[in-house]
Amino acid sequence: MIILSVMDEERQKAYLTLINSLLNSPSSKANSILNANQVLVDAALVQTMEQVASVMADQGYQNAADFLMDVACQLSEIISSLGNVTDRTAGQGESLAKTKQEEYLIFLDQVYQATAQSNSNPQVVYPLLVENLENLNDDFAVLLRQVIMDTLSQVAPEQAQSIAAVIGNFSDLMREFPQGDRASNLEIAIAGAEVAATIFTRDVYPNDWATNRNNLAAAYTKRVRGDREENLERAIVAYEEALQVYTQSKFPQEWARTKSNLGNAYSNRIRSDRTQNLERAIHCYQSALQVRTREAFPEQWATTQINLGTACWERIEGERAQNLELAISHFQAALQIDTKETFSQDWALIQTNLGTVYWGRVQGDRGSNLEQAIAHFQNALQVYTKEDFPQYWATVQNNLGGVYLEQGQFEEAIACFQSALEVYTPSAFPFECLGTGKNLGNTAKASENWAVASEGYRIAIEAVEQSRSWAITDARRQVILANAIDVYDDMVEVCIDIEQFDQAIEYVERCKSRSFIELLHVRDLFPKGNIPEGVINELKHLRQEIVTEQRRLEIVEQNQATGIISAVSKPIDNSLAWVENRTRLNELVKQLDGLIDDKINPIDPDFKDTQQVNPISFKETKKLLQAF
């Protein structure tokens, strides 16, 4: 049985690494760095910070010492407040916590044995994980890191290598495990990879080190927890480190795979200039094709062609018309391998992308381009059915509606928009629902189909109010309002045209009331009462994470009007970029709602009411007017 250690030399090194990261980063990044290293935040870290600050002050680095002491004081207060809460329930929870820790240790031992004895066979390890889903959480990730680090420091080098190899393999399995909580699975994967890295150093085990860098980068690319921008930066660094060993001459296949993955990371990158990030991504994909030829690696060649097509579609540098022609050529090249019979989902993805590019094509006859777009979208729907791929199906339906609308085919456009809204509901996909609802309302209004127009605008308004309640910053709320204020105006106009004057007044007041309430939002962003500092910090962190994810979504939304599909990670799940981002945003909002319900509402019950707004009915409006 592996025994948990309180503190060891490796943890002290981790403290110093964290402190060095804080000192060498802008102060504005301190919270993000600490949140990404929560497993290291404890009283011992505070003590180490104080010791380092004292030494730095003695050496004349007073500003750095003051900064470090300030961070240490804040952490001390947070730890103290959490400790006070823990002390109140310590008598009741101590035995339970001990029992749970023992359960984790037993489970860790079972996982270790299964991974080692089966040679990391997922058919052996995954059933064990399925039986213990309740143990696959962030606490288990922390325990795994601490237990294995302590064990590695106590055994002989040969045994340490063997243990690290098993844990590294388990980390790979966790990264791809399809069940349980995705966020926690990735935390466990990262913990395992980082533990293995302490043994498989570049100097002693260069090949294993490069493999570890690749695997760690893959986990950070998909990570749900932490700051998305920072996670991608870590992934980029790790991929570039792997390329120091994986050279084209010595490891051509590994080099090409890493180059392709690095291209994906640059394509998704938030930090730095978007133009340059895309150019780097294109360069990485083109480099990968030097090894990934159609003859030698047909599937990987097709994957890279799709990624190149997507990057050319998004490309900012160069002439737009030429970039679109390049995108078409790359997508059509991929179809040489990804046929409907052999790779149906990949084929449907390419058909959707080709439809999108032809819709936006600059060269050629406009009418012919639109017909090409329709043909490709209809091809995609042969695979992307509502039952099997509802979100992809909705994307294609929305795109088809847009093309039909440009052709002047109102009935076909209306049918497509209505179909898309069967999936794009205000609660599940508010941003997509807003755009499609507006399209439906505008199209029906132009053909004087008032009932359908009213329904489209109603759904769009619900989506507006849902998406604005998700927005954390006033600036983001104003952007949403600026893009949606005409929906209220159009709805009022339709209500007047069909002589539903009471509904018209309700929507006028509904728009005004939301603007007023949100002005109060800006002035009252935090709950009242004796809220623990740790809860406030968690609230700030989740809000910042949502802002970051919304900023990333804005990049995707630039292409959302025409629905280009990202081909990143095509071999795994053919995910749409916006689906991945929406899933992450949904997870963050769920965490925020849970924080408010569990930790804030018992102290400040009124706070939750300030985070949502209910419309005022016409009858209520009349009562208010009569009161005056």
Side-chain angles (χ1 to χ4, degrees):
M1 179 70 65
I2 306 173
I3 306 299
L4 178 64
S5 172
V6 177
M7 176 80 176
D8 56 28
E9 182 180 352
E10 292 297 333
R11 191 166 182 84
Q12 185 66 28
K13 290 180 181 178
Y15 289 153
L16 295 176
T17 300
L18 173 56
I19 292 171
N20 185 62
S21 179
L22 288 169
L23 292 173
N24 288 282
S25 302
S27 58
S28 59
K29 291 292 183 181
N31 285 339
S32 297
I33 294 172
L34 290 170
N35 284 323
N37 294 273
Q38 292 181 21
V39 295
L40 295 176
V41 177
D42 55 18
L45 172 62
V46 173
Q47 182 180 5
T48 305
M49 283 183 170
E50 292 171 345
Q51 293 171 350
V52 173
S54 177
V55 172
M56 297 188 76
D58 292 340
Q59 294 178 351
Y61 299 104
Q62 192 59 51
N63 290 338
D66 291 343
F67 165 73
L68 204 56
M69 282 301 300
D70 183 57
V71 175
C73 289
Q74 294 182 44
L75 289 179
S76 180
E77 291 177 2
I78 294 172
I79 294 170
S80 177
S81 65
L82 293 176
N84 291 337
V85 174
T86 304
D87 289 343
R88 299 190 198 113
T89 58
Q92 299 176 355
E94 184 175 352
S95 59
L96 179 62
K98 184 177 181 180
T99 301
K100 190 62 180 178
Q101 179 175 306
E102 292 174 351
E103 181 181 336
Y104 284 146
L105 290 170
I106 293 172
F107 175 54
L108 176 57
D109 192 61
Q110 292 173 339
V111 164
Y112 179 88
Q113 297 299 331
T115 305
Q117 294 173 8
S118 70
N119 195 25
S120 309
N121 187 343
Q123 295 182 350
V124 174
V125 179
Y126 281 176
L128 176 62
L129 300 182
V130 171
E131 294 174 0
N132 293 271
L133 290 178
E134 70 281 0
N135 289 331
L136 295 177
N137 51 44
D138 290 7
D139 290 338
F140 180 73
V142 173
L143 180 136
L144 181 149
R145 186 188 299 270
Q146 293 176 329
V147 167
I148 302 301
M149 289 294 292
D150 180 62
T151 302
L152 293 176
S153 67
Q154 298 179 29
V155 299
E158 295 79 8
Q159 189 176 1
Q161 178 189 358
S162 176
I163 293 173
V166 173
I167 294 301
N169 292 336
F170 173 62
S171 169
D172 296 343
L173 292 173
M174 283 303 309
R175 191 180 67 248
E176 304 301 331
F177 183 52
Q179 298 191 41
D181 180 64
R182 182 64 174 156
S184 294
N185 291 349
L186 289 170
E187 292 305 297
I188 296 170
I190 289 172
E194 290 180 342
V195 165
T198 64
I199 298 299
F200 295 116
T201 62
R202 180 182 177 183
D203 293 338
V204 182
Y205 305 100
N207 295 352
D208 294 321
W209 176 81
T211 299
N212 176 273
R213 295 295 90 189
N214 243 332
N215 295 339
L216 186 61
Y220 271 114
T221 298
K222 300 176 181 181
R223 192 184 189 198
V224 177
R225 302 271 195 263
D227 179 75
R228 176 64 174 167
E229 179 178 332
E230 184 63 30
N231 288 338
L232 286 172
E233 292 305 305
R234 292 188 178 194
I236 289 172
V237 169
Y239 281 134
E240 290 179 336
E241 287 177 338
L243 288 171
Q244 296 172 17
V245 173
Y246 287 156
T247 61
Q248 184 178 1
S249 58
K250 293 183 178 180
F251 302 94
Q253 293 185 43
E254 291 81 0
W255 176 83
R257 184 179 67 250
T258 306
K259 277 285 187 180
S260 181
N261 290 338
L262 181 59
N264 295 344
Y266 273 121
S267 181
N268 289 322
R269 195 182 193 191
I270 299 170
R271 190 176 298 176
S272 299
D273 179 66
R274 179 66 177 162
T275 300
Q276 291 304 311
N277 287 337
L278 287 172
E279 293 306 305
R280 290 181 179 130
I282 290 172
H283 175 73
C284 287
Y285 295 141
Q286 290 173 336
S287 297
L289 287 177
Q290 296 175 24
V291 174
R292 291 182 165 184
T293 63
R294 178 185 173 186
E295 295 73 24
F297 304 98
E299 292 183 36
Q300 291 85 350
W301 176 82
T303 298
T304 310
Q305 292 289 350
I306 296 177
N307 289 339
L308 261 174
T310 302
C312 288
W313 160 261
E314 297 179 352
R315 195 182 189 197
I316 301 169
E317 195 168 285
E319 294 184 3
R320 180 63 176 164
Q322 182 60 31
N323 289 338
L324 293 182
E325 295 307 304
L326 288 172
I328 290 174
S329 67
H330 288 301
F331 290 140
Q332 288 178 335
L335 285 176
Q336 298 173 25
I337 303 300
D338 292 337
T339 65
K340 182 182 178 183
E341 293 72 27
T342 55
F343 301 100
S344 60
Q345 294 182 41
D346 302 339
W347 178 83
L349 180 150
I350 300 169
Q351 294 293 339
T352 303
N353 285 353
L354 279 170
T356 300
V357 179
Y358 272 107
W359 185 12
R361 193 184 188 199
V362 178
Q363 296 183 11
D365 176 71
R366 186 60 183 161
S368 176
N369 288 339
L370 293 179
E371 288 298 326
Q372 286 269 36
I374 289 173
H376 285 298
F377 286 142
Q378 289 177 336
N379 283 343
L381 289 176
Q382 296 176 29
V383 175
Y384 287 157
T385 63
K386 180 183 178 183
E387 294 72 26
D388 295 332
F389 304 96
Q391 295 162 340
Y392 302 0
W393 176 83
T395 296
V396 178
Q397 290 289 356
N398 187 54
N399 292 352
L400 262 177
V403 180
Y404 282 133
L405 179 59
E406 187 170 344
Q407 287 186 326
Q409 302 186 55
F410 289 110
E411 291 185 5
E412 287 82 356
I414 287 174
C416 287
F417 293 141
Q418 288 176 323
S419 294
L421 288 170
E422 293 175 17
V423 175
Y424 286 164
T425 62
S427 58
F429 300 97
F431 298 108
E432 293 76 23
C433 180
L434 168 59
T436 306
K438 285 176 62 177
N439 289 341
L440 176 60
N442 292 339
T443 305
K445 180 183 174 185
S447 61
E448 298 186 351
N449 188 338
W450 306 118
V452 174
S454 175
E455 179 65 10
Y457 291 140
R458 181 192 64 78
I459 294 173
I461 287 172
E462 288 186 19
V464 171
E465 295 173 355
Q466 179 68 50
S467 61
R468 290 177 79 192
S469 68
W470 282 13
I472 298 302
T473 66
D474 182 54
R476 178 60 175 166
R477 278 190 285 271
Q478 294 308 316
V479 168
I480 295 171
L481 180 60
N483 292 331
I485 190 66
D486 58 321
V487 179
Y488 289 91
D489 294 338
D490 290 331
M491 184 61 167
V492 170
E493 183 180 341
V494 169
C495 289
I496 292 174
D497 286 338
I498 60 179
E499 298 185 354
Q500 292 183 354
F501 302 114
D502 56 341
Q503 288 288 314
I505 293 174
E506 283 187 21
Y507 278 105
V508 169
E509 293 303 318
R510 192 164 175 171
C511 181
K512 290 180 179 179
S513 67
R514 289 196 61 81
S515 298
F516 174 71
I517 291 295
E518 286 174 353
L519 284 175
L520 296 180
H521 252 196
V522 179
R523 303 171 67 98
D524 188 19
L525 291 175
F526 296 100
K528 298 180 177 63
N530 188 24
I531 307 293
E533 186 69 21
V535 174
I536 295 296
N537 288 336
E538 187 176 355
L539 177 64
K540 291 179 181 178
H541 170 66
L542 284 172
R543 284 173 163 172
Q544 182 58 48
E545 284 294 287
I546 292 174
V547 169
T548 299
E549 195 59 34
Q550 287 173 336
R551 186 171 66 180
R552 175 167 169 74
L553 274 170
E554 288 173 2
I555 298 174
V556 179
E557 287 167 6
Q558 292 174 2
N559 296 323
Q560 184 62 34
T562 51
I564 192 71
I565 295 183
S566 170
V568 172
S569 302
K570 161 184 163 286
I572 299 174
D573 57 11
N574 299 292
S575 296
L576 297 174
W578 62 264
V579 173
E580 294 177 348
N581 299 139
R582 172 66 59 223
T583 300
R584 175 172 167 79
L585 183 57
N586 287 348
E587 169 69 21
L588 291 169
V589 172
K590 182 179 178 181
Q591 292 180 36
L592 181 62
D593 290 341
L595 176 69
I596 293 173
D597 288 339
D598 299 338
K599 299 182 180 180
I600 296 177
N601 195 55
I603 301 174
D604 182 4
D606 297 329
F607 179 70
K608 186 173 183 178
D609 293 335
T610 68
Q611 308 300 296
Q612 55 192 11
V613 180
N614 296 319
I616 303 174
S617 68
F618 177 66
K619 291 182 179 180
E620 292 171 327
T621 303
K622 288 179 65 177
K623 290 180 180 179
L624 290 173
L625 293 174
Q626 291 170 359
F628 290 94

